[in-house]
């Protein structure tokens, strides 16, 4: 009886959706200030000086493991390449608004492709010691006009488990710098005011290759592929995703409206384009690449991550394009999603169909106007002009170079 009821609800919903779709435009521009911010052009509004570091901090690391080019933390590599040819780059440091230190801190992968963050603090300390002794600009502000791309799970806390990341904290000598990072969670020691939250890297060319005709019916109601339990790192099963993913599986593994599995089929991208809702639950960190994939493929993201800080939140109206479900409400997901009126779903789909929304979530090569590279630059431009207070008085020091875990102080 329960299965029949769900089937009836789904058929009724699909019928209402298809009828409404015939009378609505396919795309909709973001209204208000968010739309203006999304379409900002940072060129002419800021200048960035790129430090020339020895290749051991970047290129040689990549040569050792080219997998870093397709990893979800690859933004650090592509941001470096983008800035080298960007019109915002200046070769005159005296006219620079921002200084960028190109370090590939997350390009250290296990044979299975998982990032090992443990060398990252030492690498960053080494690079900052180099720029502070070779150029005068760091010492004028102790990094307050510098930015670093640190796209690890917990940003510059550099650990893949939350409690360990909290213990370590952000590297002390980065306390005045701006961090460009994928990690975003309110009131967390690994994210502080002034950070720029960005999307994880998802390969644009690969996603483009799996595009299907836009008029393909969305015949899947709810879609998810991924882990529900991390038995290797959380054997007792109570910590990973704070139990939210486990709750999805236990409550909906037999629900015909939910197409969920741990298997990752070759049709994964195509399936997302056939789905109305795509679950985007937290894992070890609040975000995952599914958020990018959902937006690019027009699948309404169902964000299950309490206190998440979303990428480019001043430009992308997440409340309008997504559905937010509290972690404790996961057992009610079916009721929540089937209760959303068709006209609300249609508007979210029209907003998601806006090409500027998709561009803002991607790091394409070559770069395109309005893409994630430009959204980062827009974020930096909106932090200008720097306040006079960032410049230190002669002899003044604010950062403690010897603070932090003993292991982080070892030479790199």
């Amino acid at each position: 009886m329960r299965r029949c009821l769900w089937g009836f609800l789904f058929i009724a919903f699909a019928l209402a959706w298809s009828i409404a779709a015939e009378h609505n435009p396919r795309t909709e521009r973001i209204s208000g200030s968010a739309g203006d911010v999304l379409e900002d052009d940072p060129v002419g509004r800021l200048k960035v000086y790129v430090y020339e570091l020895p290749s051991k901090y970047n290129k040689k690391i990549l040569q050792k493991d080219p997998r870093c080019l397709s990893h979800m933390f690859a933004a650090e590599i592509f941001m470096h390449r983008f800035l080298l040819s960007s019109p915002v780059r200046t070769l005159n440091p005296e006219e620079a608004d921002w200084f960028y230190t190109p370090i590939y801190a997350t390009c250290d992968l296990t044979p299975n492709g998982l990032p090992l963050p443990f060398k990252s603090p030492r690498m960053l300390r080494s690079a900052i010691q180099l720029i502070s002794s070779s150029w005068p600009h760091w010492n004028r502000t102790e990094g307050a006009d510098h930015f670093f791309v640190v796209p690890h799970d917990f940003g510059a806390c550099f650990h893949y488990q939350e409690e360990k990341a909290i213990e370590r904290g952000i590297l002390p000598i980065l306390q005045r710098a701006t961090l460009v990072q994928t990690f975003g969670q309110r009131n967390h020691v690994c994210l502080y005011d002034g950070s720029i939250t960005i999307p994880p890297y998802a390969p644009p060319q690969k996603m483009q290759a799996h595009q299907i005709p836009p008029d393909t019916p969305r015949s899947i109601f709810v879609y998810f592929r991924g882990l529900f339990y991390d038995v290797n790192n959380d054997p007792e099963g109570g910590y990973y995703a704070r139990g939210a993913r486990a709750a999805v599986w236990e409550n909906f593994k037999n629900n015909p409206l939910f197409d969920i599995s741990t298997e990752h089929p070759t049709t994964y991208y195509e399936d997302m384009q056939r789905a109305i809702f795509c679950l985007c639950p937290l894992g070890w960190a609040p975000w995952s690449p599914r958020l990018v994939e959902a937006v690019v493929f027009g699948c309404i993201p169902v964000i299950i991550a309490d206190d998440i800080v979303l990428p480019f939140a001043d430009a992308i109206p997440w409340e309008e394009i997504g559905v937010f479900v509290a972690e404790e409400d996961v057992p009610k997901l079916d009721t929540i999603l089937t209760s959303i009126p068709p006209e609300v779903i249609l508007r979210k789909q029209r907003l998601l169909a806006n090409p500027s929304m998709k561009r803002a979530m991607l790091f394409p090569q070559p770069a395109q106007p309005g893409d994630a590279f430009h959204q980062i630059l827009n974020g930096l431009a909106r932090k200008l002009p720097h306040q006079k207070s960032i410049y230190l008085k002669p002899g003044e020091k604010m950062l403690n170079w010897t603070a932090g875990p003993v292991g982080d102080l070892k030479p790199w």
Side-chain angles (χ1 to χ4, degrees):
M1 179 68 183
R2 180 178 175 84
R3 181 178 293 270
C4 292
L5 176 60
W6 284 126
F8 173 78
L9 285 172
F10 181 51
I11 292 169
F13 180 88
L15 180 62
W17 176 83
S18 62
I19 292 172
E22 294 177 0
H23 300 91
N24 286 274
R26 291 184 178 272
T27 65
E28 183 171 330
R29 185 187 183 275
I30 303 166
S31 60
S33 60
D36 297 333
V37 169
L38 190 64
E39 296 169 7
D40 268 354
D41 183 359
V43 176
R45 298 168 55 215
L46 81 164
K47 293 184 181 296
V48 176
Y49 182 79
V50 180
Y51 286 114
E52 293 186 19
L53 297 184
S55 60
K56 70 174 185 176
Y57 292 100
N58 39 61
K59 294 178 182 177
K60 283 188 176 179
I61 296 174
L62 178 59
Q63 289 172 358
K64 181 181 177 182
D65 197 339
R67 292 179 300 168
C68 296
L69 284 169
S70 56
H71 200 270
M72 61 182 171
F73 300 141
E76 61 183 358
I77 299 171
F78 291 113
M79 190 66 191
H80 181 201
R81 293 182 176 182
F82 164 74
L83 283 172
L84 289 177
S85 59
S86 170
V88 305
R89 183 189 181 191
T90 177
L91 300 178
N92 178 7
E94 296 306 319
E95 68 175 14
D97 301 301
W98 288 98
F99 295 83
Y100 167 63
T101 307
I103 308 166
Y104 300 169
T106 62
C107 186
D108 186 12
L109 306 179
T110 67
N112 293 330
L114 299 175
L116 290 174
F118 308 117
K119 297 178 183 177
S120 302
R122 293 160 52 207
M123 186 190 308
L124 278 158
R125 288 181 61 88
S126 171
I128 293 172
Q129 286 175 324
L130 176 63
I131 64 173
S132 66
S133 60
S134 304
W135 291 272
H137 317 294
W138 172 275
N139 299 320
R140 297 184 309 191
T141 67
E142 286 195 314
D145 53 359
H146 288 56
F147 70 94
F148 295 82
V149 182
V150 283
H152 197 263
D153 269 357
F154 291 95
C157 290
F158 293 117
H159 211 286
Y160 57 84
Q161 291 188 328
E162 185 175 12
E163 75 277 17
K164 299 296 185 181
I166 291 172
E167 289 175 12
R168 166 172 266 168
I170 294 173
L171 193 65
I173 55 175
L174 292 178
Q175 296 294 327
R176 303 202 79 212
T178 289
L179 303 180
V180 177
Q181 58 185 62
T182 47
F183 175 75
Q185 183 175 325
R186 286 187 293 273
N187 304 315
H188 198 285
V189 298
C190 299
L191 178 76
Y192 56 65
D193 289 342
S195 296
I196 296 175
T197 309
I198 66 173
Y201 177 79
Q205 288 83 0
K206 182 179 178 181
M207 299 176 79
Q208 181 64 36
H210 288 265
Q211 290 280 355
I212 63 177
D215 56 352
T216 302
R218 291 189 177 267
S219 55
I220 301 171
F221 190 62
V222 181
Y223 188 75
F224 175 79
R225 291 293 184 273
L227 289 178
F228 297 99
Y229 305 90
D230 187 346
V231 294
N232 293 323
N233 295 303
D234 183 28
E236 297 181 4
Y239 195 77
Y240 178 62
R242 296 197 284 259
R245 292 196 186 199
V248 169
W249 179 249
E250 295 302 331
N251 284 277
F252 304 111
K253 58 186 175 184
N254 295 319
N255 188 314
L257 293 185
F258 284 68
D259 188 344
I260 59 177
S261 172
T262 57
E263 298 177 0
H264 203 287
T266 56
T267 58
Y268 174 69
Y269 284 155
E270 288 84 353
D271 292 342
M272 293 188 85
Q273 295 170 78
R274 296 186 181 98
I276 296 171
F277 295 105
C278 288
L279 299 185
C280 300
L282 74 162
W284 283 112
W287 56 271
S288 80
R290 291 175 192 81
L291 194 65
V292 176
E293 295 162 347
V295 171
V296 170
F297 292 132
C299 186
I300 298 170
V302 181
I303 299 165
I304 307 169
D306 296 350
D307 300 321
I308 189 172
V309 176
L310 287 155
F312 308 137
D314 56 348
I316 297 178
W318 290 104
E319 293 284 349
E320 296 184 54
I321 66 172
V323 175
F324 289 78
V325 176
E327 293 165 24
E328 66 177 8
D329 290 337
V330 166
K332 298 184 286 188
L333 255 176
D334 49 1
T335 302
I336 292 170
L337 297 179
T338 55
S339 299
I340 301 175
E343 62 270 18
V344 173
I345 291 174
L346 283 164
R347 182 168 189 272
K348 292 180 185 296
Q349 291 174 328
R350 291 197 303 270
L351 287 169
L352 285 167
N354 189 325
S356 63
M357 190 89 66
K358 304 177 191 298
R359 278 197 300 269
M361 297 295 285
L362 294 174
F363 296 90
Q365 297 84 50
Q368 301 173 6
D371 62 15
F373 299 116
H374 291 85
Q375 300 306 327
I376 293 172
L377 296 182
N378 283 333
L380 294 169
R382 287 191 287 275
K383 293 166 70 71
L384 298 175
H386 295 299
Q387 297 179 358
K388 292 182 179 179
S389 59
I390 73 166
Y391 296 95
L392 304 186
K393 299 175 183 176
E396 183 181 8
K397 296 291 181 185
M398 299 183 69
L399 299 178
N400 184 352
W401 279 78
T402 60
V406 174
D408 291 353
L409 304 180
K410 295 179 181 178
W412 178 76

